[in-house]
Amino acid sequence: MKPFAYVSAPDVATAVRTIATEPNAKFLGGGTNLVDLMREDIEQPDTVVDITRLPLTEIEELPGGGVRVGALVRNSHLAAHRLIRTRYPLLSQALLAGASAQLRNMATVGGNLLQRTRCPYFYDGASACNKRVPGSGCDAIGGFNRNHAILGTSDDCIATHPSDMCVALAALDATVEVESVRGLRRVPLADFHRLPGGTPHLETTLEPDELVTAIEVPELTAPSSYRKVRDRASYAFALVSVAAALEVTDGVVSDVRLALGGVAAKPWRARQAESVLLGTPATEESFRRAAEAELEPAVGRPDNAFKIELAQRTIVATLRRLSDGSFGDGSFGDGSRA
Amino acid sequence: MVTLRMRVNGVTRSLELEPWVSLLDALRERLGLTGTKKGCDQGACGACTVLVDGERINSCLALAVQYEDRDITTIEGVTHPIQQAFIEHDGFQCGYCTSGQICSAIGMLAEHGAGMPSAVTEPGASGLSEAEIRERMSGNLCRCGAYNGIVDAIKEVAR
Ligand SMILES: Cc1cc2nc3c(=O)[nH]c(=O)nc-3n(C[C@H](O)[C@H](O)[C@H](O)COP(=O)(O)OP(=O)(O)OC[C@H]3O[C@@H](n4cnc5c(N)ncnc54)[C@H](O)[C@@H]3O)c2cc1C
Ligand code: SF4
Ligand code: FES
Ligand code: FES
């Protein structure tokens, strides 16, 4: 690991001032991604600003029925919180489907939003990778790409965003609150992560000196759930995942939110599928048509083309369960088991 | 160099170290507490699990400086019925993963006792079924495959 100066920020003002004035500085949350990347010399900050002592650890109910979550709330605490378990089962389930209990005890909300891809070529300094070294090429495109993206890719990068939590937040229309020396700003989660285009090294719309201080999630009344499919039953990143909320009135879809994980460089809000579904009978046939519409632009590669069908089936299965009412009590069903 | 204090297994220790030293290396290399093991050094195996203020974490991805003034428990500081249960149920073969398994199990029992759910928790269920134990312990790999013994040992203590 390259040597760095360490600063522990006691308050938000100090944190954003330090990041703005120290050249090549980075915030440090639970460290579960940044420490790993620093050890591999992929991240080489000169100064590390530890934000784990910031007082951003509250989970509060908002007047309009939503919830506000401080950026330093740990993933395990968020998943276990009564408000999250009862009102947003998809968010609690998504968090619990991620990483391991030890890692969830360390990982913060802010760090989870900003975690970087698990593309093996990104991690391997000897490989060509446009995300790590812009302009160097992409060894994943002609290489081993089982875990890679099928939607929103470019000729420069086919990496996925690995977060489970963010998929639930995308379905929930969450907002990210960020602060810097220039003041406070709110970014819809949908605009937070970027698709690669010609600049895969730019992963979010966050400025390097901006601190994520909170996320806000609006009220959700529809039953919801999160389903994750992976190569082993636990402690593995998603091949495909689906976060869904579905309300059926008189047999017709009256509200639906759908987002996909493991398929793109950002949590993929499935707007196309939602528009096909809204107002149609809540049947297997509608679910299938909606899933097909969403995956229509997907591009598969030799190792990951299976994801196109897998994503469709997972969408259908998740919606079917929600419409059957097996998740209708708004709490846990079979969790993340695929 | 940073100077910091930490309570390790009930004793306040003073450490002088570079900020990039992990909690795992600080425990093993600076304090001589080699019971905590390094498997992957990247959060993927759980061999390095320790308890911080009673919560289990992976010490390999923790920078020691972040844990100033915290209460750390390593396997050297553990006295718990789970240890005898591991012996009785053959919860290990080579033993490399065992200190992590035991610290993790202790943290897991506390989480379950506090009502924290897992990915397989059914509505209204409160017991520690075999499926619950396997899911909650999935952050601890065992290359020897002693999983059946580990699950039996935990089941006995959870009863
Ligand atoms: C073995 C392993 C398996 C995993 N499996 C999964 C999985 O299945 N699903 C999943 O979703 N995740 C998984 N993860 C990833 C894990 O969820 C993330 O590493 C974690 O959420 C990052 O949070 P952190 O607080 O530790 O971030 P850190 O490592 O501290 O930081 C990550 C990045 O975020 C930045 N940052 C942190 N907080 C802020 C803030 N408030 N404002 C601005 N920038 C900030 C840092 O500068 C850094 O660039 C896994 C990780 C490991 C090691
Ligand atoms: S897919 Fe993206 S992250 Fe992976 S090697 Fe290609 S450019 Fe790098
Ligand atoms: S050594 Fe820490 S998880 Fe493997
Ligand atoms: S007993 Fe050998 S790795 Fe678990």
Side-chain angles (χ1 to χ4, degrees), chain B residues 47-97:
Chain B
C48 64
T49 304
V50 299
L51 299 165
V52 176
D53 301 326
E55 278 191 358
R56 50 180 170 163
I57 67 159
N58 291 337
S59 61
C60 68
L61 292 184
L63 296 183
V65 280
Q66 292 195 278
Y67 292 84
E68 180 162 23
D69 293 330
R70 307 285 288 275
D71 218 317
I72 317 289
T73 305
T74 68
I75 191 65
E76 289 89 347
V78 168
T79 314
H80 192 283
I82 192 77
Q83 291 161 295
Q84 188 60 35
F86 261 66
I87 293 171
E88 278 161 18
H89 292 278
D90 287 330
F92 52 87
Q93 289 175 36
C94 78
Y96 199 82
C97 70

Side-chain angles (χ1 to χ4, degrees), chain A residues 61-228:
Chain A
E61 210 168 342
L62 293 172
V67 173
R68 179 188 162 86
V69 181
L72 272 301
V73 171
R74 269 138 350 108
N75 287 186
S76 52
H77 292 206
L78 185 58
H81 197 276
R82 182 187 51 83
L83 281 175
I84 307 300
R85 288 180 75 181
T86 52
R87 296 191 194 169
Y88 309 99
L90 78 173
L91 178 55
S92 182
Q93 290 166 8
L95 285 156
L96 293 172
S100 67
Q102 289 96 315
L103 290 162
R104 295 192 294 270
N105 277 339
M106 306 170 77
T108 63
V109 164
N112 194 320
L113 279 171
L114 286 151
Q115 64 173 298
R116 306 196 67 188
T117 188
R118 308 304 290 203
C119 170
Y121 303 102
F122 172 70
Y123 262 79
D124 170 28
S127 299
C129 171
N130 288 321
K131 191 186 277 301
R132 187 166 29 76
V133 181
S136 63
C138 170
D139 275 351
I141 286 176
F144 179 67
N145 45 41
R146 178 172 173 80
N147 291 310
H148 288 72
I150 51 174
L151 287 165
T153 56
S154 74
D155 292 341
D156 291 320
C157 180
I158 57 169
T160 58
H161 191 263
S163 168
D164 291 294
M165 177 191 82
C166 292
V167 183
L169 292 181
L172 285 167
D173 288 314
T175 307
V176 185
E177 184 187 276
V178 307
E179 197 168 329
S180 70
V181 287
R182 297 175 298 285
L184 206 70
R185 185 164 85 85
R186 293 162 59 86
V187 189
L189 188 90
D191 303 332
F192 190 80
H193 298 97
R194 300 185 194 224
L195 290 176
T199 53
H201 60 291
L202 302 176
E203 295 165 354
T204 67
T205 53
L206 196 72
E207 297 294 332
D209 68 344
E210 283 179 319
L211 174 74
V212 173
T213 48
I215 51 166
E216 284 187 8
V217 185
E219 184 177 26
L220 177 75
T221 49
S224 69
S225 90
Y226 186 76
R227 189 157 180 167
K228 178 172 176 179

